[in-house]
């Protein structure tokens, strides 16, 4: 986990109706709470990839008129799945969740729907990430002298410096680039924003002028 020192750019694929609500009418993106969202519940962005966000919108059966919203994001107190210490925290959360399910004589959720050897529906990972966040909230509650994390007490927890603001992870996806390759065609980094205050502002991404080189 780290405290974000700067700002990253994220892109959110959506329907044009959502784009208009956010960009033109000043509304905000809604939190996703699907059981299969691999980084847990929050607002999802493709880090630095307008093209992948648009590709997702084009492929989604829920989108009639594809559009992309850009956002300036400060990750804050972030669980970074590219950081070894944070990966260990996720592993411990899984072990706790597994023991809890065993005590209840219940089966853990499973990741499923394989594409190119990758699980695309990540129900287990979602539950692990949510349990990690709950464990963190419980630790904050203990520090604050709260008996639990329910009701109005969650507001105090969300305002604590140790509250998890975001989750960042690399998602391997697509076919291998060539025989025996370690690279895939669609590898990308996704952001899950838990704390909406991480989003500093939204913008309408400009299309590239093909008469000039791309500035990087």
């Amino acid at each position: 986990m780290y405290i974000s020192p700067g700002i990253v750019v994220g892109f959110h694929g959506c329907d044009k109706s959502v784009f208009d609500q956010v960009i033109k009418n000043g509304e905000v993106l809604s939190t996703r709470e699907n059981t299969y969202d691999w980084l847990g519940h929050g607002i999802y962005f493709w880090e630095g990839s307008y093209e992948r966000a648009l590709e997702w919108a084009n492929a989604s059966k829920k989108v009639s008129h594809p559009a992309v919203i850009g956002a300036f994001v400060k990750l804050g107190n972030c669980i970074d799945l590219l950081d070894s210490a944070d990966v260990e925290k996720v592993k411990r959360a899984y072990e706790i969740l597994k023991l809890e399910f065993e005590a209840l004589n219940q089966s853990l959720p499973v990741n499923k729907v394989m594409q190119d050897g990758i699980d695309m529906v990540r129900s287990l990972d979602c539950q692990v990430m949510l349990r990690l966040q709950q464990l963190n909230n419980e630790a904050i509650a203990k520090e604050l002298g709260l008996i639990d994390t329910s009701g109005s007490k969650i507001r105090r927890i969300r305002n604590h410096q140790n509250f998890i603001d975001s989750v960042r992870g690399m998602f391997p996806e697509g076919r291998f680039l060539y025989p025996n390759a370690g690279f895939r065609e669609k590898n990308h980094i996704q952001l899950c924003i838990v704390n909406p205050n991480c989003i500093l502002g939204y913008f309408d991404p400009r299309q590239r002028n093909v008469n000039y080189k791309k500035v990087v």
Side-chain angles (χ1 to χ4, degrees):
M1 183 182 292
Y2 65 88
I3 304 298
S4 174
I7 297 171
V8 299
V9 177
F11 295 95
H12 181 88
C14 60
D15 191 85
K16 184 63 164 54
S17 61
V18 176
F19 176 94
D20 289 341
Q21 290 170 4
V22 173
I23 300 299
K24 296 183 179 180
N25 299 332
E27 298 185 21
V28 297
L29 288 171
S30 300
T31 295
R32 288 173 44 146
E33 296 187 355
N34 299 309
T35 59
Y36 53 80
D37 290 329
W38 71 299
L39 298 179
H41 296 168
I43 304 170
Y44 276 71
F45 294 94
W46 304 81
E47 182 177 301
S49 183
Y50 171 92
E51 292 79 8
R52 288 307 311 278
L54 181 60
E55 180 182 331
W56 180 90
N58 280 320
S60 175
K61 296 179 181 179
K62 298 180 180 179
V63 173
S64 299
H65 304 285
V68 174
I69 295 171
F72 297 110
V73 180
K74 192 158 189 176
L75 298 179
N77 202 30
C78 177
I79 292 291
D80 188 349
L81 299 181
L82 301 178
D83 182 278
S84 59
D86 285 351
V87 170
E88 187 61 29
K89 292 176 184 177
V90 175
K91 181 180 179 181
R92 290 201 301 269
Y94 164 76
E95 292 168 349
I96 291 171
L97 186 69
K98 181 173 181 290
L99 289 174
E100 292 172 341
F101 269 73
E102 289 175 349
L104 295 171
N105 197 29
Q106 296 179 359
S107 299
L108 281 167
V110 295
N111 295 334
K112 54 188 178 181
V113 185
M114 297 284 287
Q115 292 183 14
D116 299 312
I118 301 294
D119 288 306
M120 304 302 290
V121 177
R122 307 274 286 267
S123 300
L124 173 60
D125 295 340
C126 181
Q127 287 302 308
V128 171
M129 296 308 303
L130 293 178
R131 190 66 185 101
L132 172 60
Q133 292 176 48
Q134 181 61 23
L135 288 167
N136 188 70
N137 289 349
E138 291 167 358
I140 294 173
K142 183 176 180 180
E143 180 181 332
L144 295 175
L146 305 175
I147 59 174
D148 56 42
T149 62
S150 65
S152 60
K153 295 183 282 293
I154 191 63
R155 182 174 182 179
R156 292 185 61 188
I157 292 169
R158 289 171 176 167
N159 276 276
H160 193 278
Q161 62 180 0
N162 291 337
F163 180 76
I164 295 173
D165 297 304
S166 63
V167 185
R168 177 177 184 262
M170 196 283 286
F171 194 106
E173 185 182 357
R175 296 175 297 179
F176 290 107
L177 287 182
Y178 44 83
N180 202 36
F183 308 107
R184 290 178 178 265
E185 292 178 336
K186 295 184 177 182
N187 287 352
H188 60 273
I189 293 177
Q190 282 190 359
L191 307 174
C192 175
I193 304 304
V194 182
N195 178 357
N197 290 330
C198 290
I199 302 172
L200 304 181
Y202 297 108
F203 65 92
D204 177 5
R206 283 192 60 197
Q207 300 300 305
R208 178 188 171 193
N209 186 330
V210 296
N211 295 311
Y212 293 87
K213 70 177 183 180
K214 184 177 180 179
V215 178
V216 295

